[in-house]
Amino acid sequence: MKCCPGLQRIGWGAFAVLLLAGMAALLAHSLAAPATASDTPSDRPDFEGWYEGAAGLAEALEVQRRDRLPLFLYIYTDWCPYCRQFERELLTDDEVDGYLDAVLAVRMNPESGGQESRLAQRFGVRGYPTLVMYSADGETASYVERMEMVDGEPRLMTGRAFLRVLDEAANR
């Protein structure tokens, strides 16, 4: 056999055994890998009903002017671990989800296009996630925090604490 000289040295039978052993090890590793919160669909927020991107923000602002509803803007990136934590731990909170169902919710990834990138610059985005809440009358836009200090350490807010922050900004 001239096509595969390395296989001649170990033999086809030994090669098959090594190949099968490698595949079994790979399968065992993938089955043993622990599930993470991001693997569970119930731990992902349901963005159904959210406006998306720059066009979605423009549409939501029109609806806001007409219906005088608060507007929540979530500026994120796909690679941001803080965005994933925010989504997993706050946006899946039942009370937060219910609150956001009652307002105009927009999410925008500045890396998805030129308009989104320009809007992020206009908002002065310096990190992710950036959260902005417009008052119901549209007169005030406030940056809102998702973190709070507890015993001198930064910690993600509870759902209720985050709702208080949103509600305060919505009623300015």
Side-chain angles (χ1 to χ4, degrees):
M1 281 191 203
K2 293 185 180 185
C3 70
C4 306
L7 291 179
Q8 286 178 333
R9 273 185 255 135
I10 65 168
W12 284 101
F15 173 73
V17 169
L18 288 172
L19 180 63
L20 288 174
M23 291 173 57
L26 183 61
L27 179 62
H29 175 72
S30 66
L31 292 176
T36 62
S38 61
D39 294 333
T40 310
S42 63
D43 287 341
R44 292 188 188 130
D46 177 12
F47 289 112
E48 187 175 325
W50 283 58
Y51 293 87
E52 293 280 342
L57 178 59
E59 184 180 346
L61 287 167
E62 284 181 33
V63 172
Q64 184 196 35
R65 281 189 279 281
R66 183 187 68 225
D67 297 346
R68 302 184 65 79
L69 293 169
L71 185 148
F72 175 71
L73 174 61
Y74 167 42
I75 303 172
Y76 72 100
T77 63
D78 294 327
W79 54 262
C80 170
Y82 303 110
C83 299
R84 288 191 300 269
Q85 178 195 35
F86 173 68
E87 291 176 6
R88 183 178 60 245
E89 296 182 30
L90 277 178
L91 292 185
T92 59
D93 179 281
D94 289 337
E95 291 180 86
V96 172
D97 184 47
Y99 182 90
L100 293 175
D101 282 345
V103 303
L104 300 166
V106 181
R107 70 183 202 138
M108 184 176 68
N109 182 345
E111 295 178 342
S112 66
Q115 283 184 305
E116 287 80 2
S117 178
R118 285 187 291 281
L119 280 169
Q121 288 176 350
R122 226 172 98 209
F123 279 103
V125 172
R126 291 193 174 94
Y128 302 102
T130 296
L131 311 171
V132 181
M133 189 71 177
Y134 286 80
S135 61
D137 62 10
E139 297 294 319
T140 307
S142 306
Y143 293 99
V144 295
E145 289 295 324
R146 70 191 195 293
M147 304 295 287
E148 62 185 346
M149 295 299 285
V150 176
D151 298 326
E153 298 289 325
R155 182 185 77 183
L156 190 67
M157 290 181 185
T158 64
R160 288 214 171 141
F162 186 63
L163 285 176
R164 284 191 294 273
V165 169
L166 290 179
D167 201 46
E168 181 182 313
N171 290 304
R172 287 189 182 143

